[in-house]
């Protein structure tokens, strides 16, 4: 964690743990960090962490912000360097900063129930039989779980709801009902077509 050490003369040493973004320092309690000293203005300066450096910007303070003994409106400091707000010496102890990434426990579906027929019940939909398995994460699912994505040309992609990879059927899919016209075209031959050809 980026840390500053304020050392006011005759006052207790103060540790300042910087946060990401803008850190406002001054005598007023409205600042992010209050330093109570008569030579520090109510709103004295702003400090930003940037690329392993501390960037200090003076806010037109009465007694000024100093680096290497010179008044500055802005200065970049690294760990081990010091600057002064009024008569208060402040050392940059470290510029390290760690961002804590929260861990989320993703709830996993309950294990499937095996039917007497050997089929499986979908972990997400009680009563629905498993029909597909993901080719990537190997999760099993029923027909209702499958995400369908229609592409150009009319082909439909079947995708896993968890990882968006392709799924494949693990049991025979229900055959689509054919229309009566389709059935007749496949099974009934028109005799008059053959007769018409012989006449020619």
């Amino acid at each position: 964690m980026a840390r500053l050490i304020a050392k006011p003369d005759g006052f207790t040493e103060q540790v300042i743990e910087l946060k990401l973004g803008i850190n406002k320092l001054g005598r007023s309690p409205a600042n992010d960090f209050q330093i109570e000293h008569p030579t520090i203005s109510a709103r004295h300066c702003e400090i930003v962490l940037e690329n392993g450096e501390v960037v200090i910007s003076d806010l037109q303070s009465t007694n000024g912000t100093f680096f290497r003994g010179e008044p500055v409106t802005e200065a970049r400091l690294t760990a081990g360097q010091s600057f002064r707000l009024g008569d208060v010496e402040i050392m940059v102890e470290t510029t390290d900063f760690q961002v804590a990434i929260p861990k989320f426990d993703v709830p996993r579906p309950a294990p499937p129930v095996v039917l007497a027929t050997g089929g499986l019940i979908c972990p997400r939909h009680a009563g629905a039989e498993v029909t597909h398995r993901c080719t990537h994460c190997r999760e099993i699912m029923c027909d209702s779980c499958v995400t369908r994505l229609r592409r150009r040309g009319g082909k439909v992609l079947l995708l896993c709801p968890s990882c968006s990879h392709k799924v494949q059927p693990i049991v025979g899919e229900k055959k689509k009902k054919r229309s009566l016209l389709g059935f007749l075209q496949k099974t009934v031959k028109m005799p008059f077509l053959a007769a018409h050809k012989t006449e020619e």
Side-chain angles (χ1 to χ4, degrees):
M1 182 67 70
R3 186 184 298 113
L4 307 178
I5 307 293
K7 302 176 180 179
D9 291 335
F11 289 83
T12 307
E13 186 175 277
Q14 184 176 348
V15 177
I16 298 168
E17 299 274 357
L18 297 177
K19 60 182 177 64
L20 279 176
I22 297 172
N23 300 266
K24 294 181 179 180
L25 276 67
R27 198 175 65 252
S28 168
N31 292 286
D32 297 305
F33 301 99
Q34 182 182 13
I35 303 175
E36 295 186 45
H37 193 275
T39 62
I40 290 184
S41 298
R43 291 176 66 253
H44 200 104
C45 73
E46 289 181 349
I47 297 178
V48 178
L49 283 169
E50 191 177 284
N51 300 324
E53 293 180 318
V54 170
V55 182
I56 303 160
S57 301
D58 186 76
L59 299 175
Q60 297 180 343
S61 59
T62 304
N63 293 308
T65 299
F66 297 84
F67 177 53
R68 293 178 178 165
E70 297 293 327
V72 293
T73 54
E74 185 176 293
R76 290 178 172 270
L77 287 81
T78 56
Q81 292 184 311
S82 298
F83 63 99
R84 188 160 49 86
L85 305 181
D87 291 338
V88 177
E89 192 77 20
I90 299 177
M91 186 189 78
V92 181
E93 187 177 67
T94 176
T95 57
D96 295 337
F97 201 92
Q98 292 180 348
V99 178
I101 301 173
K103 292 182 180 180
F104 297 99
D105 292 327
V106 179
R108 293 184 175 271
V113 177
V114 181
L115 297 170
T117 59
L120 301 173
I121 295 293
C122 177
R124 287 191 174 90
H125 299 96
E129 194 169 343
V130 168
T131 57
H132 293 79
R133 181 189 297 274
C134 178
T135 57
H136 180 73
C137 69
R138 311 302 296 165
E139 185 176 337
I140 57 174
M141 64 205 76
C142 68
D143 193 61
S144 300
C145 294
V146 177
T147 302
R148 286 169 170 77
L149 181 65
R150 186 173 294 278
R151 297 194 304 179
R152 281 185 183 174
K155 189 173 181 182
V156 177
L157 287 177
L158 304 180
L159 305 175
C160 174
S162 298
C163 68
S164 298
H165 283 77
K166 289 183 181 180
V167 298
Q168 60 187 10
I170 56 173
V171 296
E173 291 182 297
K174 293 179 181 178
K175 292 182 180 179
K176 293 180 180 178
K177 291 183 180 178
R178 291 188 293 179
S179 66
L180 179 61
L181 180 61
F183 176 76
L184 290 173
Q185 287 175 341
K186 294 275 185 183
T187 58
V188 178
K189 293 183 179 178
M190 301 293 183
F192 64 86
L193 289 176
H196 179 67
K197 285 181 180 178
T198 55
E199 288 175 4
E200 292 176 352

